[in-house]
Amino acid sequence: MTVTGPRNGPDVVDVVALGESMVTFLPSRPGRLADVPSFERGIGGAESNVACVLAAAGHSARWISRVGADGFGDHLLETIGGYGVDVSHVRRDPDRPTGVYFRTAGDRSTDAHEVAYYRSGSAASAMSPAGVDPDAVRAGRVLHLSGITPALSAGCLALIRELTAPRPARPLISFDVNHRPGLWSDGRGPEILLELARGADLVFIGEDEAEEAWGITGGPTRIRAALPEPEMLVVKQGSRGAVAFHDPAGGAGTPSADGRTRLPGVSRPSPGGGTPRAPGVPPLMGRAGDGGTSRSWGSPRSSAAESGGEAESGRGTPQAPGRAPSPRPAATEPALDVDVVATTGAGDAFAAGFLSATLRDLPLRDRLRHGHLMAAATLTAPGDLAPPPARALADRLAALDDTAWGRLRLGPGWTRAEEHPGPEKEARTP
């Protein structure tokens, strides 16, 4: 199962991530925002976090966004670019500011946690189909998006609808639902997020998110029943682990030229056979690899309300149109025992780890484990971003047998280990 891009050329990168990044102000000590005397500056943004982790892990990554023509915009470009991410396609807005936010030192899961966002009217909220270079966006083998961007403005929603619309030469669409109720002022967030997730090829969602957004309870299988379209669905279960569903016959993108839909590198024909793939044409993930270079976006896809049969506007399990879901998980992996410092950014790191292993064509079990390992790196550090483990160390840990994996305990500084003992010792003190 190998990710193969829609075209070749010098501009092609492993992953393009599109979305807003903000300057983050981290408190110098615990307490209410009203009481904290000083803050340390950092960066935060779901999509840029993924790009930074992937670049630090040795992949080519591009971040596309819009920032203000201000010092905070300079800081974002310099910091994200410092991870090795291509930021050359980020546009500067002379009329709108770069978004910023402040947060307390507490865990986001507690009532004492505070976050103060100053992103309304930000430069990134002015993104739209007309303001983004389609060639730069589609030059990735994977295009990573999240449910935060469409909540920022009507233009941002239109852009994400364009990018998730099925069409020839579409890259693999990775979509992290990232439900943020406070960003959806009109209450349409759950409906729109379901629509967008159904247009993606690979979807990440938390079990708690599915319940909060769509009222789905009963575990990952119920979530898959409501969301059968993506070829791959990864359900995160917090400290319990993660579950992956894979349906080679599914997929939301445009079918390939031979009429079949497949994950990267999966050349198995769909039921009923089909015309064999032409020699030298790489297998794609749910779209036709015609190598087109048109700069036009094409016709926008219909919204949920326009297309019919999509999500209901209220809570309750959405009804999936079209076809029966894959009933059984393809892989399940327990989470690691981690000494948590802060949880911010862990979901982004998990997605980056899973994508990294996907780009390397690793088995599905190892993709989940690399997700857990990248998340553990962030969980054991105070900020949104943390240095990932060296690839050799991550591969060694991901290859442990189930017993040794279950005995791993990771604390602050584990990714900087210079000596790598054998698996049995690693399982106790990695």
Side-chain angles (χ1 to χ4, degrees), residues 353-429:
F354 190 94
L355 287 172
S356 173
T358 299
L359 287 161
R360 296 171 57 205
D361 196 24
L362 298 184
L364 187 52
R365 184 205 73 163
D366 290 5
R367 300 183 194 196
L368 290 173
R369 287 190 171 188
H370 277 272
H372 287 316
L373 289 165
M374 292 294 194
T378 299
L379 288 168
T380 53
D384 286 24
L385 286 166
R391 181 171 291 184
L393 174 59
D395 284 346
R396 186 176 295 112
L397 295 178
L400 292 173
D401 61 42
D402 291 345
T403 300
W405 176 263
R407 290 203 304 264
L408 278 174
R409 183 180 180 88
L410 304 178
W414 73 271
T415 62
R416 298 191 300 273
E418 295 182 358
E419 297 181 1
H420 306 313
E424 289 305 315
K425 186 175 180 183
E426 281 181 326
R428 298 192 299 273
T429 56

Side-chain angles (χ1 to χ4, degrees), residues 24-27 40 42-43 101 103-108 113 339-346 376-387 412-413 416:
T24 309
F25 288 94
L26 307 173
E40 181 179 350
I43 64 171
Y101 78 96
R103 65 177 175 88
T104 54
D107 192 305
R108 278 185 175 175
H113 182 80
D339 296 330
V340 177
V341 173
T343 60
T344 308
T378 299
L379 288 168
T380 53
D384 286 24
L385 286 166
R416 298 191 300 273

